[in-house]
Amino acid sequence: MTTVTTLRRPTAATPPPARRRHRPSATAALRRLPLRLLVGLLIVVEAGPMVWMLLSSFKSQNAIVSGGVFSLPSSLEWSNYSEAWLTGDFAHNVWISVLVTFPALLLLLLFGAAAGFALEIMVWKRRNSTLLYFVAGIMVPAQMLLVPLFLAYFRLGLTQTVWPFILTYSAMGLPLTVFMMAAYFRALPREVFESATLDGASMLRCFFSIALPMSSNALITLGLVEFFSIWNDLLIALTFVTNPKLATVQVGLLNFSGEFGQTAYGPLFAAICMNVLGTLVIFLVLNQRIMKGMVSGAVKG
């Protein structure tokens, strides 16, 4: 007895049923309404002064003094920016801030990373107590050190140079940098440095060839934080400035005065806008590296 098998033609696969989009109900929308109102309020609080300052930088002196606070500019006064950059000597103030900020950042990050490497990677006695001394330096207010530092710089003849700014900013930011770099190096695998030591690498070679490249994201994050702290500082810069030619950006913003000592508001707002725009561009360019530096070292291994 023979069995006959019939071949069935393959049928096309039936498509899965389309998923229905779940629309939020009115109750869920009402629950999210306070949060959205709060976010909108925060945006207005943060962006409102920026927009007002930008609009005020295009106003004339008479429009700012006699017009309303929130009035729109009748005409765009582009001359405020040229007057702030050239006549107000804002370009020279920016150059002094660059001469002060970047050398201070270089010394700060170099010595901070080296101290963090020595405290966590190298093995020696009393390294934990030494780290506590650096942490204690974070709690020392800068206002207590201004007068002794000014007297020391004056006796050394450094008050007519930029060295008081560089040395003070480097010393003020060193405790936090050492603490953060030590925490970062603590999360790095020790096997990498042990293997390099067995291959004949010295401590300096391990630091410059292994530790610094592995901590580049953390260095960029700390560098940007310290950059904003140094660039926007007014107290230290105002204390050590004895020569108007050594005024930084923040000190230079205090000197925008016109005839009879009246504040030139248009050029002043223009200079503030240029200052904010420059720092904002730096933050946006390095934003992704900052996020990587904040989460780097979170997982060990």
Side-chain angles (χ1 to χ4, degrees):
M1 185 176 179
T2 61
T3 58
V4 179
T5 59
T6 59
L7 298 177
R8 302 180 63 182
R9 296 179 62 183
T11 58
T14 57
R19 296 181 178 179
R20 296 181 179 179
R21 295 183 178 179
H22 179 69
R23 296 182 178 180
S25 61
T27 306
L30 289 176
R31 291 177 180 176
R32 297 176 182 177
L33 183 60
L35 180 60
R36 293 179 179 178
L37 292 177
L38 179 60
V39 172
L41 179 61
L42 291 177
I43 293 175
V44 171
V45 171
E46 293 291 335
M50 302 290 293
V51 175
W52 176 81
M53 182 178 60
L54 180 62
L55 293 177
S56 299
S57 66
F58 292 104
K59 292 181 181 181
S60 61
Q61 184 73 7
N62 294 329
I64 295 176
V65 174
S66 60
V69 178
F70 300 101
S71 62
L72 296 176
S74 58
S75 61
L76 299 181
E77 296 289 339
W78 292 98
S79 59
N80 290 335
Y81 285 87
S82 60
E83 185 177 353
W85 186 258
L86 300 176
T87 309
D89 211 12
F90 186 73
H92 181 73
N93 299 140
V94 171
W95 174 243
I96 295 298
S97 293
V98 170
L99 290 180
V100 168
T101 303
F102 287 99
L105 277 179
L106 180 61
L107 293 176
L108 177 62
L109 295 179
L110 179 61
F111 288 110
F117 178 83
L119 290 170
E120 290 299 330
I121 303 302
M122 300 176 63
V123 179
W124 47 283
K125 293 182 179 180
R126 297 182 180 178
R127 59 175 184 170
N128 293 328
S129 59
T130 305
L131 180 60
L132 291 179
Y133 291 141
F134 280 103
V135 176
I138 303 176
M139 297 178 288
V140 178
Q143 293 81 359
M144 295 177 56
L145 306 176
L146 293 181
V147 176
L149 286 176
F150 180 81
L151 295 176
Y153 293 146
F154 180 78
R155 293 173 182 176
L156 293 174
L158 298 177
T159 53
Q160 301 298 324
T161 63
V162 296
W163 282 108
F165 304 117
I166 297 175
L167 297 177
T168 305
Y169 289 138
S170 301
M172 292 296 182
L174 196 59
L176 179 62
T177 305
V178 172
F179 175 73
M180 297 301 295
M181 291 305 300
Y184 180 82
F185 284 131
R186 190 181 301 123
L188 294 181
R190 296 291 184 89
E191 292 79 8
V192 177
F193 301 99
E194 293 176 357
S195 301
T197 304
L198 292 176
D199 291 338
S202 61
M203 284 291 102
L204 289 177
R205 183 66 181 275
C206 291
F207 175 68
F208 286 102
S209 300
I210 300 177
L212 286 184
M214 293 180 67
S215 60
S216 60
N217 290 330
L219 288 174
I220 291 176
T221 303
L222 285 174
L224 193 62
V225 172
E226 295 296 338
F227 169 80
F228 287 121
S229 177
I230 296 174
W231 188 272
N232 296 324
D233 174 72
L234 177 61
L235 179 62
I236 296 176
L238 193 61
T239 303
F240 296 137
V241 166
T242 58
N243 188 354
K245 295 182 179 180
L246 297 178
T248 59
V249 169
Q250 308 304 325
V251 178
L253 292 176
L254 300 177
N255 300 325
F256 278 87
S257 59
E259 190 178 2
F260 306 112
Q262 185 182 14
T263 303
Y265 292 105
L268 175 61
F269 288 132
I272 296 175
C273 287
M274 288 188 289
N275 182 30
V276 173
L277 180 62
T279 54
L280 181 62
V281 169
I282 295 176
F283 176 78
L284 293 178
V285 170
L286 300 177
N287 185 29
Q288 296 298 326
R289 301 297 297 270
I290 297 172
M291 295 298 106
K292 292 180 181 179
M294 293 178 65
V295 301
S296 59
V299 181
K300 184 176 180 179

